[in-house]
């Protein structure tokens, strides 16, 4: 690596300069490289830092303004390739080095020429994890962080959901990372093969067994197989979990989320966890949550109109945040701890907390006369508890899952189901149970967490239970709001799975995550239940055997039964507010 010490002017940027490939030596001797953008003048200036595996020259500009924009606002901006990525030395293993390397980089950045010793961080997704992990070590120069669209741990909510592998995300993400590894190694043949695999991901999602996934069987992307080898929440994952102890964190934080982001639940968990349990009073008081109508990327509006959802609001809010905490200016960023774009209402609102006060927990019960299969069936959803009703039965064939469009996956919509989509075609299959309310007589706002309690049985030793909450419009469109899953063997514990007894009724809890939407009068709520939500999550082969090790011929068709009676009142739980 040839170190470029020269500070070059950014064309037309009124004195902003960039120093490319500035070296930072880590505690173990590995050198990481960063681009440093400096404002005009001698300073000293506060520093804002981003660390990422996706090429420092791009600095996540798929969502954020370019670092030179922040430099024009009076900040020294440092963007670093993490260990093993792009021009930085070492080998890359997701999450493994971000705590220590982040700590060392923060302290290095604080001592750069022209820096005033005060460091803030920003970035979304993995760059959000690369903030939270070193923050748990309390580097003395770190003043504040802005983790966006990121998780609270890297088992539940990142790699797995209630025991099911986040298939479309993890497979495509690992393939993309492996492509970058091959590019760094100068292995053109591998780059071509991996890039082609990424482009063909919708077909590769059907690969079985998953632990034999050929595109990642070579020298790149071996961490994918590590993830498969640890399907439970064990010490492999626990060592990296932010939510194990929020008391380790002592910095104010701006948490940014999207209503259709894969990590929405983790974003909110970090906000509420730090607000309640951060390691200092200043940190507990210095938490803010901002949620817009966005998928993971790009942050384009995913709602009924474009009013008020310009994604540049994140840059503007971050600038106010940094001005407040790094420059000591009063910007009002903490006037409202929570700022949400309420879809349907199409407006931004401020609230004192999450969930917003005034919401009441409502239960909506499942009903039918035994034929809730498909949207042409007689399944219904209402506030009245069930009495004596026959169950609903469907079958799930792992080799022929019903693809469900849209959702909360990542990271590009041609490789993973993302965002709102009309579910009505998928709801035509009898393998999906559909429960729909009457038209709402008045508007209802759902702002808070949504979950499903299901009383159900399966003919196999293991099976998946999935749920989707949708808003149904008068023209028949059924638009997904949230989804959830539970793998039967993980119904009681994510650390100690246990198989089920065939045809025995169990209670299942399916957390679906947060929503923030106004349902118009005349629209309907809809809950669908199925045995797969593919390819958002991997298929359960229903055998009860070792996960990810069995081939397609081992799969078993499951007969799945959902009960809704006085003794087994299956229901949806949501936080509702009603206004005129």
């Amino acid at each position: 690596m040839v170190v470029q010490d020269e500070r070059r002017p950014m064309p037309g940027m009124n004195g902003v300069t960039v120093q490319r490939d500035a070296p930072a030596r880590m505690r173990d001797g590995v050198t990481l490289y960063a681009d440093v953008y400096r404002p005009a003048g001698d300073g000293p200036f506060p520093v804002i830092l981003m660390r990422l595996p996706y090429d420092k020259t791009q600095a996540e500009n798929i969502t954020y303004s370019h670092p030179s924009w922040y430099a024009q606002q009076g900040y020294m901006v440092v963007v670093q390739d993490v260990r093993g990525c792009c021009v930085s030395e070492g080998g890359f293993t997701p999450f493994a080095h971000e705590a220590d390397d982040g700590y060392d980089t923060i302290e290095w950045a604080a001592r750069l020429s022209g820096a005033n010793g005060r460091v803030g961080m920003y970035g979304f997704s993995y760059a959000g994890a690369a903030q939270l992990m070193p923050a748990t070590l309390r580097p003395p120069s770190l003043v504040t962080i802005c983790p966006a669209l990121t998780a609270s741990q890297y088992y539940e909510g990142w790699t797995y959901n209630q025991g099911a592998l986040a298939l479309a995300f993890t497979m495509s993400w690992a393939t993309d990372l492996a492509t970058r590894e091959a590019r760094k190694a100068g292995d053109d043949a591998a780059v071509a093969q991996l890039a082609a695999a990424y482009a063909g991901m919708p077909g590769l999602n059907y690969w079985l067994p998953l632990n034999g996934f050929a595109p990642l069987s070579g020298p790149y992307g071996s961490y994918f197989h590590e993830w498969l080898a640890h399907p439970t929440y064990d010490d492999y994952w626990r060592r990296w979990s932010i939510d194990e102890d929020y008391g380790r964190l002592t910095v104010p934080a701006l948490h940014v989320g999207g209503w259709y982001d894969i990590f929405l639940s983790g974003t909110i968990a970090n906000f509420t966890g730090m607000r309640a349990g951060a390691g200092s009073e200043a940190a507990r008081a210095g938490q803010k949550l901002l949620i817009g109508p966005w998928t993971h990327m790009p942050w384009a509006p995913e709602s009924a109109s474009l009013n008020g959802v310009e994604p540049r609001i994140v840059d503007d809010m971050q600038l106010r945040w940094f001005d407040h905490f790094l420059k000591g200016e009063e910007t009002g960023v903490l006037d409202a701890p929570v700022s949400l774009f309420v879809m349907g209402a199409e407006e931004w609102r401020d609230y004192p907390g999450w969930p917003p006060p005034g919401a009441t927990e409502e239960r909506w019960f499942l009903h039918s006369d035994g034929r809730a299969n498909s949207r042409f069936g007689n399944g219904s959803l209402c506030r009245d508890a069930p009495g004596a009703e026959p169950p609903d039965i469907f079958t799930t064939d792992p080799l022929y899952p019903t693809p469900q469009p849209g959702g909360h996956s990542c990271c590009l919509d041609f490789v993973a189901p993302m965002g709102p989509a009309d579910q009505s075609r998928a709801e035509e299959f009898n393998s999906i149970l559909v429960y729909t309310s009457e038209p709402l007589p008045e508007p209802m706002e759902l702002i808070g967490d949504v979950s499903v309690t299901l009383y159900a049985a399966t003919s196999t030793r293991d099976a998946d239970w999935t749920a989707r909450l949708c808003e149904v419009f008068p023209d028949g469109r059924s638009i997904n709001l949230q989804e959830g899953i539970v793998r039967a063997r993980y119904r009681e514990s994510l650390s100690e799975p246990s198989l089920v007894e065939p045809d025995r009724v169990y209670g299942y809890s399916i957390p679906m995550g947060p929503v923030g939407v106004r349902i118009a009068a005349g629209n309907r709520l809809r809950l669908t239940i199925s045995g797969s939500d593919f390819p958002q999550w991997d298929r359960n082969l229903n055998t009860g055997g070792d996960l990810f090790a069995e081939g397609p011929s081992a799969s078993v068709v499951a007969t799945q039964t959902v009960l809704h009676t006085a003794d087994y009142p299956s229901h949806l739980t949501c936080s509702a507010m009603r206004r005129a």
Side-chain angles (χ1 to χ4, degrees), residues 200-541:
M201 201 55 64
L204 291 175
N205 285 326
Y206 285 86
W207 192 288
L208 290 174
L210 283 178
N211 66 6
F213 183 57
L216 297 177
S217 61
Y220 311 111
S222 60
Y223 29 80
F224 178 72
H225 299 287
E226 289 186 16
W227 303 339
L228 299 185
H230 294 273
T232 63
Y233 185 54
D234 59 14
D235 288 340
Y236 174 87
W237 301 104
R238 193 171 285 110
R239 57 182 166 160
W240 297 324
S241 292
I242 306 302
D243 58 10
E244 282 283 320
D245 180 10
Y246 283 111
R248 297 172 294 170
L249 296 157
T250 57
V251 291
L254 169 63
H255 307 268
V256 179
W259 288 126
Y260 283 98
D261 177 47
I262 184 173
F263 306 130
L264 175 59
S265 293
T267 297
I268 293 178
N270 286 334
F271 166 73
T272 57
M274 292 181 69
R275 197 176 188 212
S280 71
E281 177 56 36
R284 291 189 292 273
Q287 303 298 316
K288 182 173 177 66
L289 176 67
L290 175 76
I291 304 178
W294 309 309
T295 58
H296 192 71
M297 66 181 201
W299 297 346
E302 298 285 356
S303 193
S305 81
L306 304 183
N307 295 330
V309 292
E310 165 61 53
R312 292 288 179 249
I313 190 175
V314 177
D315 284 315
D316 295 340
M317 180 62 75
Q318 281 189 164
L319 181 61
R320 292 173 57 201
W321 189 266
F322 289 137
D323 285 349
H324 182 93
F325 286 102
L326 295 180
K327 293 184 178 179
E329 300 176 4
E330 181 51 58
T331 64
V333 288
L334 291 175
D335 289 351
V338 175
S339 296
L340 311 175
F341 184 86
V342 180
M343 298 183 296
E346 306 305 308
E347 63 184 18
W348 286 98
R349 295 188 193 154
D350 291 333
Y351 293 102
W354 176 270
T360 59
E361 185 175 279
E362 292 188 357
R363 290 186 174 184
W364 290 72
F365 294 92
L366 280 58
H367 297 271
S368 81
D369 69 1
R371 292 198 301 172
N373 307 79
S374 88
R375 63 186 174 91
F376 306 115
N378 54 33
S380 64
L381 195 65
C382 74
R383 302 287 304 284
D384 298 329
E389 297 179 4
D392 292 307
I393 299 175
F394 64 96
T395 59
T396 300
D397 187 342
L399 295 191
Y400 299 95
T402 303
Q404 302 200 48
H408 289 72
S409 193
C410 175
C411 294
L412 295 172
D413 59 9
F414 78 93
V415 297
M418 295 168 57
D422 188 0
Q423 308 294 302
S424 58
R425 290 298 299 273
E427 293 166 357
E428 294 175 355
F429 287 85
N430 280 346
S431 56
I432 296 181
L433 303 182
V434 180
Y435 303 91
T436 310
S437 75
E438 292 296 319
L440 298 181
E442 60 183 11
M444 179 175 67
E445 294 186 351
L446 302 180
I447 306 178
D449 289 328
V450 178
S451 64
V452 171
T453 300
L454 205 64
Y455 296 96
T458 179
S459 62
T460 52
R461 297 298 309 279
D462 196 17
D464 287 351
W465 301 95
T466 73
R468 283 200 168 208
L469 177 65
C470 301
E471 177 181 5
V472 183
F473 291 79
D475 62 5
R477 287 176 298 132
S478 178
I479 305 299
N480 55 297
L481 298 172
Q482 260 295 6
E483 314 84 42
I485 190 169
V486 61
R487 184 149 289 174
R489 68 175 73 186
Y490 291 96
R491 69 198 178 279
E492 296 175 343
S493 170
L494 299 180
S495 298
E496 299 179 3
S498 60
L499 300 176
V500 297
E501 179 183 333
D503 298 317
R504 175 183 170 185
V505 177
Y506 292 88
Y508 296 95
S509 176
I510 306 177
M512 299 175 72
V515 295
V517 64
R518 178 181 173 92
I519 311 293
N523 290 3
R524 305 168 186 252
L525 287 179
R526 174 170 289 171
L527 180 69
T528 65
I529 303 295
S530 183
S532 66
D533 191 323
F534 184 81
Q536 185 157 301
W537 292 292
D538 75 301
R539 294 167 289 170
N540 192 332
L541 299 190

Side-chain angles (χ1 to χ4, degrees), residues 40-82:
D42 297 327
F45 303 103
V47 176
I48 54 177
L49 167 67
M50 176 189 290
R51 304 184 65 252
L52 74 166
Y54 307 120
D55 193 336
K56 60 184 171 56
T57 63
Q58 297 188 48
E60 295 194 319
N61 63 358
I62 193 172
T63 56
Y64 295 110
S65 293
H66 191 268
S68 58
W69 179 81
Y70 284 96
Q72 287 181 297
Q73 318 307 316
Y75 290 94
M76 182 183 297
V77 186
V78 178
V79 187
Q80 184 187 69
D81 290 331
V82 301

